[in-house]
Structure formats: C-alpha cells, structure tokens
Amino acid sequence: MSGPLKLVLLGRQGAGKGTQAVRLAERYGALHISTGDMLRAAVAEGTEMGRKAGEIMDRGDLVPDEVMIGIVDERLAKPDAVEHGFLLDGFPRTVAQAQALDALLAPARLDAVVNIDVPLDEVRDRMRSRGRADDTDEAIERRLALYEEQTSPLIDHYEAEGLLVVVDGLGSMDEVFDRLVVAIDAARERS
Ligand code: ADP
C-alpha cells in the first residue's frame, strides 16, 4: 500500500466527476485539485492569467497546455500536496498534459487513473436537465466533442501504462462512490 493518494479522475462532463472528487478527497484525506476551480478563481481575482483564461473558457475552448502544466506543477509542489496526496479533477485533458504530469511525478507514479464511464446519450440527458446557463445545446455538444477529441485519447495512454481503472458511472451517487472506493483501494494494493 502506497503513501499519500496520487490519483487522476477522468470522465465526460456530466459524469459526476466533480461531486465524486470532493467526496473521494475527503475519504482519502487528500487534496481535491480542480483545474476548472483554479481557473475560475483566477478569473474572479482578475489576474492577467485569469483574464486570458476567462475568454478561452467562455468560448468553450481549452487553455493552452503550457499554462495548465505550469499551474499544476506549482500546485503539486506545495507541501500540502506532497504530504496529503492529491486527486486531480480536470487535468490532464490532453496527451501533452498527461506526458508532462508523468514527467513531473517521476520517479514516482500515479496510483491509478479512474475513468467514470457514462455513455454519451446519458450525459447529454443529464446536462440538459440540470439546465445551467452555459449548458445550451450548442455548448454541450462543443464540450462533449472536445472531450472525445482531446481527452478520450488519454484513456489509451493510461491503459498502456497499466494505470487505467474504469468504473461504471450509472446509478446513484452513493452507488458510484462505493464502486470508486473499491476500485481505488484495489489499485492502491497493486501499486
Ligand atoms: P467542465 O464544466 O467542462 O467539467 P471544468 O470546470 O473542469 O469543466 O473546466 C472549465 C473550463 O476550464 C474548461 O472548459 C476549459 O476551458 C478550462 N480548463 C480546465 N482544466 C483545463 C485543462 N486541464 N486544460 C485546458 N483547459 C482547462
């Protein structure tokens, strides 16, 4: 059994990733590091980086890899992340980010990369019914398409590294949480 948690959570928008990330971080005493939250905080603070990132996020595009890698590198190097471990939510989102994360952690490795799997039709229904202002049909389709194009290749990347764990994301939040804990505990036993 390894020390502090080192985990990446993957999942389409609407898969329940954010909610499960908060609960898992609490369960494992680890930091929940959400790059979406960090970017929104930078936007709210009105920093130069926040202003640029805000424009990109409004378009539904991805913030450049080198910016994101810099932000995550800085955050993971802080003593609290080193001491308590982390659960990354929203990063990596591209293969370049995944490669940078591997390099940043070396010689250590992630415990696991957990993909919360929810079929496309189901996440579409969920996003339409939650009705956030930015969840127009067009925005939903754009973000889902970007995920398939940029983020789903990560599944192959981590599968090749033997780190991928797939958890069925259908069912209640509690059911999915219980499945996640079982999967993560098993992966950590192996790592
Ligand atoms: P979502 O609502 O898509 O689950 P997040 O809260 O994780 O999104 O992120 C919101 C936005 O922040 C993304 O649409 C993207 O513009 C930007 N973002 C967050 N993380 C990253 C990342 N790792 N790489 C590039 N852009 C990112």
Side-chain angles (χ1 to χ4, degrees):
M1 191 71 149
S2 34
L5 188 75
K6 293 193 292 292
L7 198 82
V8 166
L9 263 193
L10 296 178
R12 293 191 174 98
Q13 289 82 1
K17 182 163 53 78
T19 312
Q20 299 294 357
V22 171
R23 295 180 61 177
L24 288 170
E26 194 182 331
R27 167 83 161 73
Y28 291 96
L31 267 75
H32 171 216
I33 300 181
S34 156
T35 45
D37 287 352
M38 290 169 82
L39 290 171
R40 281 183 287 273
V43 172
E45 278 169 30
T47 61
E48 173 65 10
M49 198 272 284
R51 204 182 50 73
K52 284 191 190 143
E55 286 173 15
I56 295 170
M57 292 162 76
D58 286 344
R59 292 200 303 266
D61 288 336
L62 293 180
V63 173
D65 285 336
E66 56 280 14
V67 175
M68 295 313 303
I69 292 163
I71 291 175
V72 170
D73 187 3
E74 210 173 277
R75 186 65 194 88
L76 292 184
K78 288 193 179 159
D80 58 348
V82 175
E83 187 184 343
H84 300 294
F86 58 83
L87 194 155
L88 279 167
D89 164 11
F91 184 96
R93 246 184 174 84
T94 64
V95 171
Q97 292 179 15
Q99 286 166 343
L101 179 62
D102 292 344
L104 213 124
L105 295 175
R109 264 161 61 91
L110 290 165
D111 297 340
V113 174
V114 181
N115 183 30
I116 305 180
D117 189 37
V118 177
L120 260 174
D121 285 343
E122 170 71 16
V123 295
R124 269 197 198 101
D125 289 349
R126 288 186 189 180
M127 292 213 285
R128 290 203 180 108
S129 61
R130 81 182 176 187
R132 255 172 31 185
D134 57 344
D135 280 350
T136 60
D137 280 0
E138 203 179 54
I140 290 171
E141 286 312 315
R142 183 171 173 76
R143 280 185 277 149
L144 288 176
L146 209 58
Y147 187 89
E148 297 312 309
E149 192 184 299
Q150 304 272 356
T151 309
S152 64
L154 296 187
I155 292 171
D156 296 336
H157 172 87
Y158 286 121
E159 175 134 59
E161 290 191 351
L163 288 171
L164 186 72
V165 179
V166 180
V167 169
D168 177 7
L170 292 178
S172 71
M173 283 292 178
D174 285 344
E175 280 164 354
V176 177
F177 179 74
D178 291 344
R179 281 179 213 142
L180 285 165
V181 169
V182 169
I184 292 167
D185 287 348
R188 299 187 85 212
E189 286 291 343
R190 288 195 301 269
S191 73

